[in-house]
Amino acid sequence: MPGKDTKSLPGFGVFGTGDIAEVIIAIIRAEEFPVVALCSATPYEAKKLADQLNIPFATHDIDQMLIHQSVDIVWMASQPNQQSKAAIKALGISKHVVCSNPCSLSLRDANEMVRKSRDDPRQMSKVANALRFLPAFVDMRRLVAEGFVGQPLTCDARVYCGSLLGDRAGYSWRCETAMGGGVLHQLGHHIVDIVAFVTGERAVRVSGSRRTYVPTTADIRGIRKINSDDYSSFSMDCDGGMSVVVVLNSLYDCRFSIEFTLLGSAGRLVVRDTALYASKRGSQNKEELVTSSNTYVPEENKLGLSEGLLGTMERPFLKGTLRMMAGLRESFDKQEERRSWTREAISSGADFEDNLYSQAVVDAVGASASTGVWVAVRQSMVEEPSLDEDSSLTETFSGLRHSTQSLPSKS
């Protein structure tokens, strides 16, 4: 691959272990970035995976990984309730940061992440919202901008999958809403973000519900129960007049499936898993394939992972993350300094401000589910003083990019 010698590419430190972390490490290495350090909750977990994957440094102390001289970028692949504080700490010592999604569990955390990311705009602060890089959604966004659908009227997003508790079905953070478990946290952020990315519209009010239909399993019973939601549905009224309905259902015994339909005054676009279809008004719903599901290099060839490991990251997210990493590689190529990067190659990627918006919407859905009423999603500014925990549920920051603080433009 042309560009920087791999020895001069920035080194990655990965915070987190488990199958997902192993897949992320393989994706990082596929673009020839060195993975130089690994941090996990226990010394045993860290050393075991580091030895298995030939990572030279392993620790259970995040501070020790962050001060490692060879670590230039930190990928937060840990459980959601651990990510925001670690990301803020990493930015505070001038490390680039990439967070898995979800990376915050409250507006207070998301707000602090944005504030810290603004301290030094030269630092990378990205969220791995992989659907933004999936070719089907990239092409959908382009067609919307070109006017294919006309004025967007309605958007319908449905995700069906099996349990999100994982193959290791013991009690874990996935069972607890407060730790980031449940379909609203684990999938809702992605859907809220991709609606805004594709259409340019943001929610102004929401109405939603969340349910836990399966509170116990064969392995989780007795004094411990699952309180994370396995089903959530919500509606969003957007600032451009579009109406959105989202259904997230992990009660199915099936492979992961996503269908995202955008209907406008002039046409319709549908993403089914990793393929995009289009039809014009008056075509009697005759669909044409726009983007094939095989647009990108087969993951098995690129990563060399077993089918079982590949299955731990659902295919749309896996394909999108691969493209995101390719963009990261391009952003660091041809730079004189190891930590220097250009924004153009990953300008479409989500940053901490995008995460603040999706966190606000997810919190508002949670508030609506508790109260049974529509919840307004109000605009505000990130420079406001500390947020009151109660009022934060109904505040969003969709006006962030219009803040009076000067930020470098993204092209």
Side-chain angles (χ1 to χ4, degrees):
M1 181 178 293
K4 276 190 178 181
D5 185 286
T6 55
K7 291 183 179 179
S8 66
L9 283 170
F12 268 87
V14 175
F15 179 36
T17 53
D19 292 345
I20 286 291
E22 192 168 343
V23 174
I24 288 172
I25 289 168
I27 292 172
I28 293 170
R29 285 176 164 172
E31 293 298 333
E32 301 181 296
F33 286 98
V35 179
V36 298
L38 179 70
C39 180
S40 183
T42 68
Y44 172 77
E45 289 178 350
K47 187 177 187 307
K48 179 182 178 183
L49 187 59
D51 289 345
Q52 177 185 333
L53 299 180
N54 297 315
I55 298 172
F57 181 80
T59 180
H60 69 290
D61 185 345
I62 184 66
D63 293 339
Q64 292 300 311
M65 185 180 78
L66 293 180
I67 64 174
H68 195 291
Q69 291 185 345
S70 298
V71 172
D72 304 301
I73 311 175
V74 181
W75 190 304
M76 304 294 174
S78 63
Q79 58 196 56
N81 62 311
Q82 297 175 340
Q83 289 197 40
S84 61
K85 289 182 180 179
I88 290 168
K89 188 177 289 188
L91 289 172
I93 58 172
S94 301
K95 304 291 185 180
H96 298 307
V97 176
V98 178
C99 288
S100 298
N101 196 342
C103 58
S104 59
L105 297 180
S106 71
L107 279 178
R108 186 185 296 268
D109 289 343
N111 185 63
E112 289 303 316
M113 290 171 70
V114 170
R115 288 183 180 178
K116 180 56 68 173
S117 70
R118 286 186 166 187
D119 285 349
D120 186 353
R122 294 172 300 178
Q123 289 178 245
M124 178 183 295
S125 53
K126 291 292 183 180
V127 182
N129 286 354
L131 296 182
R132 287 182 174 226
F133 293 88
L134 191 68
F137 282 113
V138 172
D139 289 342
M140 176 181 274
R141 187 189 193 207
R142 173 180 56 81
L143 288 172
V144 170
E146 292 173 356
F148 181 88
V149 299
Q151 175 65 37
L153 302 175
T154 66
C155 180
D156 186 272
R158 298 176 183 272
V159 178
Y160 301 106
C161 60
S163 172
L164 298 182
L165 299 181
D167 294 333
R168 300 167 186 173
Y171 196 83
S172 71
W173 65 267
R174 294 178 177 86
C175 303
E176 290 285 345
T177 299
M179 298 178 72
V183 293
L184 183 57
H185 281 309
Q186 293 179 252
L187 298 174
H189 276 272
H190 289 283
I191 300 302
V192 169
D193 179 75
I194 201 63
V195 170
F197 176 73
V198 167
T199 67
E201 295 195 25
R202 291 191 165 192
V204 293
R205 66 173 191 157
V206 301
S207 173
S209 67
R210 59 198 307 184
R211 302 287 181 84
T212 304
Y213 285 107
V214 184
T216 61
T217 68
D219 298 296
I220 304 170
R221 59 186 187 275
I223 61 172
R224 283 185 165 174
K225 293 185 182 297
I226 301 164
N227 67 39
S228 58
D229 44 292
D230 45 35
Y231 176 89
S232 179
S233 63
F234 56 94
S235 299
M236 302 191 297
D237 286 348
C238 294
D239 52 11
M242 182 177 66
S243 297
V244 181
V245 175
V246 179
V247 175
L248 310 171
N249 192 334
S250 67
L251 296 167
Y252 280 70
D253 185 15
C254 66
R255 67 176 182 83
F256 184 91
S257 172
I258 180 172
E259 183 167 272
F260 186 99
T261 303
L262 179 62
L263 178 66
S265 58
R268 181 181 65 175
L269 295 168
V270 184
V271 171
R272 296 190 182 98
D273 295 331
T274 57
L276 173 64
Y277 301 86
S279 61
K280 275 292 188 181
R281 287 254 185 200
S283 64
Q284 298 181 337
N285 292 326
K286 182 180 180 181
E287 294 181 340
E288 295 184 4
L289 178 64
V290 177
T291 308
S292 168
S293 60
N294 297 317
T295 300
Y296 202 54
V297 178
E299 290 75 21
E300 296 81 357
N301 297 345
K302 193 169 182 68
L303 301 179
L305 294 175
S306 67
E307 184 176 344
L309 270 178
L310 285 172
T312 62
M313 185 180 289
E314 303 299 348
R315 192 170 181 82
F317 299 112
L318 182 59
K319 293 172 79 70
T321 305
L322 279 164
R323 290 184 67 90
M324 177 182 170
M325 277 307 306
L328 278 175
R329 171 61 193 260
E330 186 179 343
S331 72
F332 282 100
D333 268 341
K334 301 178 182 178
Q335 300 298 308
E336 293 184 3
E337 299 293 331
R338 190 177 71 184
R339 294 189 180 185
S340 297
W341 62 293
T342 58
R343 299 175 181 274
E344 288 77 9
I346 53 171
S347 61
S348 62
D351 56 26
F352 285 3
E353 298 189 24
D354 295 308
N355 175 70
L356 184 52
Y357 162 69
S358 64
Q359 181 66 58
V361 175
V362 166
D363 277 8
V365 171
S368 176
S370 298
T371 61
V373 300
W374 283 84
V375 174
V377 182
R378 300 196 303 269
Q379 293 186 3
S380 187
M381 292 295 181
V382 71
E383 289 83 1
E384 285 187 354
S386 60
L387 299 172
D388 178 78
E389 197 69 42
D390 294 330
S391 64
S392 69
L393 287 175
T394 57
E395 291 192 17
T396 69
F397 296 81
S398 54
L400 283 172
R401 300 196 188 286
H402 305 292
S403 169
T404 56
Q405 180 173 343
S406 176
L407 290 177
S409 61
K410 291 185 179 181
S411 55

